[in-house]
């Protein structure tokens, strides 16, 4: 019987005496592990702060420890394509959801309020859960673009655009959304 089926570890633990993990997950492609928690002695607080760590499955940390802001990262999730990581961050002033790429770069601005995060199977939406309910966020570019263009279809700025930015926005919506409506 393999060691892993006997409850024995198959590799050495990914240890760090300053890091306490609350959540960990594998990427869907099986190449990465992300863990969120808190770490003593962060640069921004000098005390305990939230931290996100990313390793490859050989146990090598692939980016520096990411100070996520707040007190602790309570939940982490990979997007289905393994390119994005969502983290739920608890802080003194509340909580937030933040998206990251595999290099540890923050993507966009934090979304409001969550203790737990999970991507939908198609990766176009993110579900966040908090004491007061569940929220659904558009995070995939395709979903965001379709939603935005549908909202702007009859807006006067795009019906008869007068600026270069408006003309570019109209051309983008026509190319990627409006000309394909009705297609499945």
């Amino acid at each position: 019987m393999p060691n892993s089926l006997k409850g024995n570890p198959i590799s050495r633990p990914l240890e760090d005496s300053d890091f306490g993990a609350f959540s960990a997950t594998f990427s869907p492609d099986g190449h990465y592990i992300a863990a969120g928690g808190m770490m003593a002695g962060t640069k921004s607080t000098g005390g305990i702060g939230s931290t996100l760590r990313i390793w490859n499955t050989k146990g090598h940390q692939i980016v520096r420890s990411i100070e996520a802001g707040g007190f602790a990262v309570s939940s982490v999730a990979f997007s289905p394509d393994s390119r994005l990581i969502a983290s739920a961050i608890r802080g003194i002033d509340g909580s937030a959801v933040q998206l990251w790429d595999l290099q540890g770069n923050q993507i966009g601005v934090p979304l409001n309020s969550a203790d737990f995060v999970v991507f939908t199977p198609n990766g176009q939406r993110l579900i966040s859960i908090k004491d007061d309910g569940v929220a659904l966020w558009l995070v995939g570019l395709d979903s965001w673009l379709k939603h935005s263009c549908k909202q702007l279809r009859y807006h006067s700025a795009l019906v008869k655009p007068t600026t270069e930015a408006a003309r570019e926005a109209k051309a983008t919506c026509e190319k990627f959304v409006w000309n394909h409506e009705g297609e499945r």
Side-chain angles (χ1 to χ4, degrees):
M1 179 181 288
N3 281 338
S4 60
L5 295 179
K6 294 177 187 174
N8 297 324
I10 58 174
S11 70
R12 68 173 184 77
L14 305 173
E15 295 183 32
D16 185 329
S17 61
D18 293 332
F19 179 64
F22 295 137
S23 178
T25 188
F26 276 103
S27 61
D29 66 8
H31 294 132
Y32 305 102
I33 300 166
M38 62 184 186
M39 182 172 165
T42 63
K43 290 178 190 169
S44 61
T45 66
I48 295 174
S50 65
T51 303
L52 177 68
R53 298 238 174 129
I54 307 167
W55 294 273
N56 63 24
T57 50
K58 293 181 172 121
H60 300 111
Q61 194 168 336
I62 62 169
V63 295
R64 71 197 186 294
S65 292
I66 303 162
E67 289 188 34
F71 177 69
V73 174
S74 59
S75 176
V76 291
F78 274 98
S79 61
D81 64 6
S82 300
R83 293 179 20 198
L84 297 177
I85 300 169
S87 62
I89 304 164
R90 291 183 184 177
I92 294 171
D93 298 330
S95 60
V97 174
Q98 181 60 59
L99 295 175
W100 311 89
D101 65 17
L102 289 176
Q103 291 72 45
N105 299 308
Q106 187 174 330
I107 298 172
V109 296
L111 309 172
N112 289 334
S113 201
D115 292 326
F116 182 79
V117 291
V118 65
F119 281 91
T120 56
N122 68 6
Q124 296 297 310
R125 292 185 174 96
L126 183 71
I127 299 167
S128 64
I129 301 170
K130 189 161 173 57
D131 300 350
D132 56 0
V134 175
L136 189 63
W137 309 91
L138 289 173
V139 293
L141 179 59
D142 292 345
S143 291
W144 179 84
L145 186 62
K146 285 177 186 175
H147 175 78
S148 299
C149 288
K150 286 180 181 183
Q151 294 292 319
L152 294 170
R153 179 158 198 145
Y154 301 105
H155 191 282
S156 60
L158 296 190
V159 171
K160 293 183 179 180
T162 57
T163 66
E164 186 60 29
R167 284 188 285 279
E168 288 177 18
K170 181 178 182 177
T172 299
C173 286
E174 286 173 339
K175 181 177 180 179
F176 294 106
V177 180
W178 299 337
N179 292 343
H180 302 283
E181 288 179 342
E183 294 179 10
R184 294 258 170 192

